[in-house]
Amino acid sequence: MSRLSDPLPDAAPAGRLAVVGIGPGAAEWLAPAAREELALAQDIVGYTTYVELAGPFRAEQRVLDSDNRCEMERARLAFELAAQGRRVAVVSSGDPGIFAMAAAVMEALEQSHDPNWHAVELVILPGISAAQLAAARVGAPLGHDFCVLSLSNNLKPWAQIARRLEHAAQADLVIALYNPRSVARPQQFAQALDLLRIHRAPTTPVVLGRDVGRPDELVRVTTLGEVVPEQVDMRTVVIIGSSQTRLFPRLTGGNWVYTPRWYP
Amino acid sequence: MSRLSDPLPDAAPAGRLAVVGIGPGAAEWLAPAAREELALAQDIVGYTTYVELAGPFRAEQRVLDSDNRCEMERARLAFELAAQGRRVAVVSSGDPGIFAMAAAVMEALEQSHDPNWHAVELVILPGISAAQLAAARVGAPLGHDFCVLSLSNNLKPWAQIARRLEHAAQADLVIALYNPRSVARPQQFAQALDLLRIHRAPTTPVVLGRDVGRPDELVRVTTLGEVVPEQVDMRTVVIIGSSQTRLFPRLTGGNWVYTPRWYP
C-alpha cells in the first residue's frame, strides 16, 4: 500500500478539484471567484438541480450530473477525475462548507490512501448560505449570537439533535434550522417546536424562507406561537428568534425582524 | 408626532438604502448584486477601511466614510440621506447580517418615527462572512452543526457570553468566535479557552483566521491544547472544533480540518 509520505510517481498528473459554492442559485449571488472556477473547469460534478443553476456550460465542458447518487460517490468521482489531471468543479448550492459538499469531499480524501488524490490541488470556495439570504430578506435576525443546526436524523441520532436544541434554547441563541422537515420524517419539526416552546414566548419571531433566491422564493415572518409544521419542508430554512429578537411593521406590509447587537 | 399609519406627504422622495456585504474584502468575493448596488449608489457610507476595500468609486459618488463614528450614527446618516431621495449604500465587511451593520440599521429604523425613513426602500445584501472563508481555507470545520458567537462584552454582559459558551460546549457544537480578543479586554479569550478545555480534549482542532481574504491573510490550524491567546486579536476569527472534528495531513504541509456530516 502506498503512503502519503511516499514520493509521487514521476508521471502523476496533478489536477485541480474546486468545491464551488454557487450561493442561493441566482447569478447575482455567484462570487467572481466561483464564476471563474466554473468557467475554467473541464468536468462539472454535482446534483442535477444545482448544476442547472450553475450553468450553462460550454460544449467542451463535461457535465457529470446525477439525480440521487450520494454525496460520497460524487466526491470520489471528482477526486478520480482530478487525480487523472482534470480540472474539476464540484457544484454545491449555498456554502459548500455548511451542510453541503465540502465535508463529503474532505471525508473522501481522508479515507483515501491514493497519493494521487492527496496530490490534487483542492480548493473550497464559500458561498452565501440559505439562512443568510433569508435573514437579509426580513432584516437582521442573525444580528447577534446564533447557531445553525440540521434537523435531519439521516446521519445523526435524534437524541443528539434534541440535546442541541435544548442547549441552544437555554443559551438563548437565535436558531437557524436546515433540513427541517421531510416527507420521510414529518414529525421532527413539530417535536423541535414543542421543545422550543417550553423556553421561548409565543411571540418569538420565526422566519420561514423557502427557495430563497430562486424564482419561487417565499419568505414569511410568523411567530413561535403561530407557526405550523405544514408551512415547512426540505426546501425551507427556518430561523427562530432569541428572547431579544424583535418585530416591527414594514410600511409595505408584513414585518421587519432583527436581533439587536446588545444584550440586556 | 407623525405615525407610521399616516399617509406620506405628497412630496416625500423615497430613496433607497442598501446595506451591502462586500464579503472578506477582495473583489473575487463580491457578489454581482453587491457590485451593482455599489455602482449605482449616489452616497457611500461606511467605516473607512471597508469603504476602501469596496472602492474605487466614481467622482460623482459621494463617499461619507468615517474612522470611528459608531454604527448607530452611520445607520442614521444613511437613513437621513435616503429619506431625502438619495440612493445610499452602507458598506459592511463580511455579511452585514452577522455582527455587522444590518442590525444597527434595523435598530435605527425601529426607533424612528419619521415616516420618510420608513418609506425608504431598504434592502440588505448578504456577503460571505469571515468564518466561512476561514473554514474553506482549511477544509470544512463548519460541516456540521455549529454556532457563531461574539466574545465582545461591549454590548452584552460577560456572564451571558460565558453561559452561551458553556451550553455550546455541552451541546458539542463547533464554535466560531468573532471579536475574540482586543487590547481593551485581553483576558476574555483566555477565559473562553479555560471554559472550553473543561469540555473538550486538548487534541480538538482549532482554526485561527486573521485578515482572511486580504493581502495579509494568515490561517493557522492548531489545537485546543496548543493555542495561546497571543495568537489571536480582533482581526482573527477562531473556529473551535466539536468532539467529532478531525485533522489529517495536507500534502503541501499543515493539516486539513473537517467536521463529518454524521454523528455517531
Side-chain angles (χ1 to χ4, degrees), chain A residues 4 16-19 79 102-103 105-112 117-125, chain B residues 133-141 203-207 219-223 244-260:
Chain A
L4 267 181
R16 179 174 169 99
L17 195 171
V19 188
F79 272 113
V105 164
M106 298 310 299
E107 189 175 337
L109 182 60
E110 189 191 18
Q111 290 174 354
S112 168
W117 283 32
H118 288 268
V120 163
E121 184 189 8
L122 174 61
V123 294
I124 294 152
L125 306 190
Chain B
L133 187 55
R137 296 297 200 217
V138 299
T203 52
T204 303
V206 171
V207 180
V219 179
R220 280 186 286 195
V221 175
T222 178
T223 63
Q244 301 303 306
T245 304
R246 300 173 66 84
L247 281 177
F248 67 95
R250 196 167 174 159
L251 199 62
T252 53
N255 286 290
W256 291 110
V257 188
Y258 77 104
T259 307

Side-chain angles (χ1 to χ4, degrees), chain A residues 4 8 27-35 71-72 95 97-100 102-104 106-107 109-110 115 118-119 122 124-129 132-133 136-140 142-150 155-157 160 163-164 167 169-173 242 246-251 256-264, chain B residues 4 8 27-35 71-72 95 97-100 102-104 106-107 109-110 115 118-119 122 124-129 132-133 136-140 142-150 155-157 160 163-164 167 169-173 242 246-251 256-264:
Chain A
L4 267 181
L8 288 176
E28 66 177 344
W29 300 112
L30 185 70
R35 198 179 55 236
E71 292 177 330
M72 289 304 291
D95 184 338
I98 300 178
F99 303 126
M106 298 310 299
E107 189 175 337
L109 182 60
E110 189 191 18
H118 288 268
L122 174 61
I124 294 152
L125 306 190
I128 291 163
S129 196
Q132 294 175 279
L133 186 55
R137 295 295 200 219
V138 300
L142 304 179
H144 204 280
D145 301 339
F146 66 95
C147 66
V148 182
L149 309 178
S150 168
L155 294 167
K156 64 181 162 177
Q160 178 64 12
R163 188 167 149 250
R164 286 179 168 168
H167 281 295
Q170 288 188 36
D172 201 18
L173 293 170
S242 74
R246 301 173 65 85
L247 281 177
F248 66 96
R250 197 166 175 159
L251 199 63
W256 291 110
V257 188
Y258 77 104
T259 307
R261 303 159 303 135
W262 39 264
Y263 202 92
Chain B
L4 267 183
L8 288 175
E28 64 178 344
W29 300 113
L30 185 69
R35 198 179 56 236
E71 291 177 332
M72 288 305 291
D95 184 338
I98 299 177
F99 302 126
M106 297 310 299
E107 189 175 338
L109 182 60
E110 188 190 18
H118 288 268
L122 173 61
I124 294 151
L125 306 191
I128 290 162
S129 196
Q132 294 175 278
L133 187 55
R137 296 297 200 217
V138 299
L142 305 179
H144 204 278
D145 301 340
F146 65 95
C147 66
V148 181
L149 309 178
S150 168
L155 294 167
K156 65 181 163 178
Q160 177 64 13
R163 188 168 150 249
R164 286 180 167 167
H167 281 294
Q170 289 188 34
D172 201 18
L173 292 170
S242 73
R246 300 173 66 84
L247 281 177
F248 67 95
R250 196 167 174 159
L251 199 62
W256 291 110
V257 188
Y258 77 104
T259 307
R261 303 159 302 136
W262 38 263
Y263 202 92

Side-chain angles (χ1 to χ4, degrees), chain B residues 62-231:
Chain B
R62 193 164 58 173
V63 174
L64 299 146
D65 60 329
S66 54
D67 256 339
N68 55 6
R69 287 166 82 186
C70 84
E71 291 177 332
M72 288 305 291
E73 282 170 9
R74 278 203 294 272
R76 292 190 185 112
L77 170 62
F79 272 114
E80 276 165 25
L81 296 166
Q84 292 162 16
R86 307 277 296 176
R87 183 161 182 153
V88 183
V90 173
V91 173
S92 185
S93 74
D95 184 338
I98 299 177
F99 302 126
M101 279 301 295
V105 165
M106 297 310 299
E107 189 175 338
L109 182 60
E110 188 190 18
Q111 290 174 355
S112 167
H113 298 283
D114 185 340
N116 290 321
W117 283 32
H118 288 268
V120 162
E121 184 187 8
L122 173 61
V123 294
I124 294 151
L125 306 191
I128 290 162
S129 196
Q132 294 175 278
L133 187 55
R137 296 297 200 217
V138 299
L142 305 179
H144 204 278
D145 301 340
F146 65 95
C147 66
V148 181
L149 309 178
S150 168
L151 275 197
S152 169
N153 68 339
N154 286 348
L155 294 167
K156 65 181 163 178
W158 176 255
Q160 177 64 13
I161 299 171
R163 188 168 150 249
R164 286 180 167 167
L165 284 169
E166 179 71 30
H167 281 294
Q170 289 188 34
D172 201 18
L173 292 170
V174 175
I175 302 172
L177 296 176
Y178 282 66
N179 311 316
R181 188 166 177 270
S182 74
V183 176
R185 42 179 188 78
Q187 77 292 356
Q188 292 172 347
F189 181 62
Q191 291 174 22
L193 290 178
D194 288 345
L195 191 153
L196 294 171
R197 283 169 176 151
I198 296 170
H199 296 275
R200 297 204 184 158
T203 52
T204 303
V206 171
V207 180
L208 309 178
R210 186 170 193 271
D211 283 344
V212 188
R214 299 189 190 166
D216 294 332
E217 171 174 316
L218 181 63
V219 179
R220 280 186 286 195
V221 175
T222 178
T223 63
L224 191 55
E226 287 174 0
V227 62
V228 293
E230 291 68 27
Q231 293 170 313

Side-chain angles (χ1 to χ4, degrees), chain A residues 138-215:
Chain A
V138 300
L142 304 179
H144 204 280
D145 301 339
F146 66 95
C147 66
V148 182
L149 309 178
S150 168
L151 275 198
S152 170
N153 68 340
N154 286 347
L155 294 167
K156 64 181 162 177
W158 176 255
Q160 178 64 12
I161 299 170
R163 188 167 149 250
R164 286 179 168 168
L165 284 169
E166 180 71 30
H167 281 295
Q170 288 188 36
D172 201 18
L173 293 170
V174 174
I175 302 171
L177 296 175
Y178 282 66
N179 311 316
R181 188 167 177 271
S182 75
V183 176
R185 42 178 189 80
Q187 77 292 355
Q188 292 171 348
F189 181 61
Q191 291 174 21
L193 290 177
D194 289 346
L195 191 154
L196 294 171
R197 282 171 176 149
I198 296 170
H199 297 276
R200 297 204 184 157
T203 52
T204 304
V206 170
V207 180
L208 309 178
R210 187 170 192 271
D211 282 346
V212 187
R214 300 189 190 165

